[in-house]
Amino acid sequence: MLRAQLIAAVRELVETHGPDGFSVAEAARRAGVSSAAPYKHFKDRHEILRGVVSEAMDRLRIAMEDGAAAHPIASLEAIAAVGQAYVDFARIEPGVFRLVFGLTEGHENAPDLLAKGANCFGVVVHAVARRLDLHPDDPDVQRRAYMLWSFVHGHAFLTIDMKHKVASAEIDDWSYLMTISRAILAAA
């Protein structure tokens, strides 16, 4: 329970001050524990941030799965909904979203985080595989899933960085995601 409270406190602080702008002592104060208590669950500040990333990746995967499940299987809408969940997560938690993709140091030695990243990408892969009626390991499925993720990931970062406003036309997420899904998943 304390671990979850600390992760929630750090998550709030990351959103407010960024991953470099908080102290473990402040996180402990917000969680209502002594400044030494976090070190019973985490060896250092970096490990606390990894805990935030791990928890965020779980929440992102669940949101993406829920988005797909809200639409008919194999539909373009199910695929676009995966993307919408991704963009929504970035918009709602931009600090944590940046942390997830910015905290890469040591990931090669973090099989748990690598697996969670693969699971998030797996949601896209499985949605594409269902749409194309192919096995998830099919190279065409993998290629198209990667292209979708690249477009959605870029759009998410452009959105939270307010760069999408440079376009002369309003960019509606759903229309964008449906257009990209349709274009990438059109018959080859």
Side-chain angles (χ1 to χ4, degrees):
M1 181 159 146
L2 174 58
R3 181 180 171 84
Q5 288 173 293
L6 287 166
I7 287 173
V10 171
R11 193 169 110 200
E12 281 180 28
L13 290 167
V14 165
E15 285 305 327
T16 307
H17 305 292
D20 297 325
F22 79 94
S23 69
V24 175
E26 174 65 12
R29 187 187 67 69
R30 286 191 181 206
V33 297
S34 74
S35 58
Y39 298 105
K40 292 178 182 170
H41 297 279
F42 303 97
K43 72 177 184 180
D44 58 23
R45 187 176 196 282
H46 184 73
E47 192 172 289
I48 294 171
L49 288 172
R50 283 191 48 197
V52 171
V53 167
S54 178
E55 187 265 349
M57 292 173 87
D58 288 340
R59 289 184 299 108
L60 176 58
R61 178 189 45 79
I62 290 166
M64 292 164 58
E65 289 171 343
D66 289 349
H71 298 277
I73 292 175
S75 68
L76 282 175
E77 290 81 6
I79 292 167
V82 169
Q84 186 69 63
Y86 194 92
V87 173
D88 289 347
F89 186 93
R91 186 178 282 122
I92 293 166
E93 296 185 53
V96 171
F97 186 79
R98 282 188 179 90
L99 180 64
V100 166
F101 292 101
L103 186 69
T104 57
E105 182 182 327
H107 271 193
E108 66 278 1
N109 299 319
D112 59 323
L113 293 181
L114 292 173
K116 287 180 184 222
N119 290 339
C120 284
F121 182 58
V123 175
V124 181
V125 169
H126 283 88
V128 170
R130 285 189 289 273
R131 175 69 182 179
L132 299 177
D133 196 24
L134 295 170
H135 191 275
D137 292 334
D138 184 283
D140 193 42
V141 169
Q142 293 288 320
R143 181 179 61 84
R144 291 178 195 230
Y146 180 81
M147 288 189 292
L148 281 168
W149 177 50
S150 296
F151 274 102
V152 173
H153 185 73
H155 178 65
F157 266 105
L158 289 170
T159 297
I160 63 175
D161 289 339
M162 305 301 276
K163 302 296 188 210
H164 69 293
K165 296 190 185 254
V166 299
S168 60
E170 273 296 310
I171 304 296
D172 171 71
D173 287 340
W174 187 253
S175 295
Y176 172 81
L177 294 166
M178 286 295 292
T179 300
I180 293 302
S181 298
R182 194 174 296 111
I184 289 175
L185 297 173

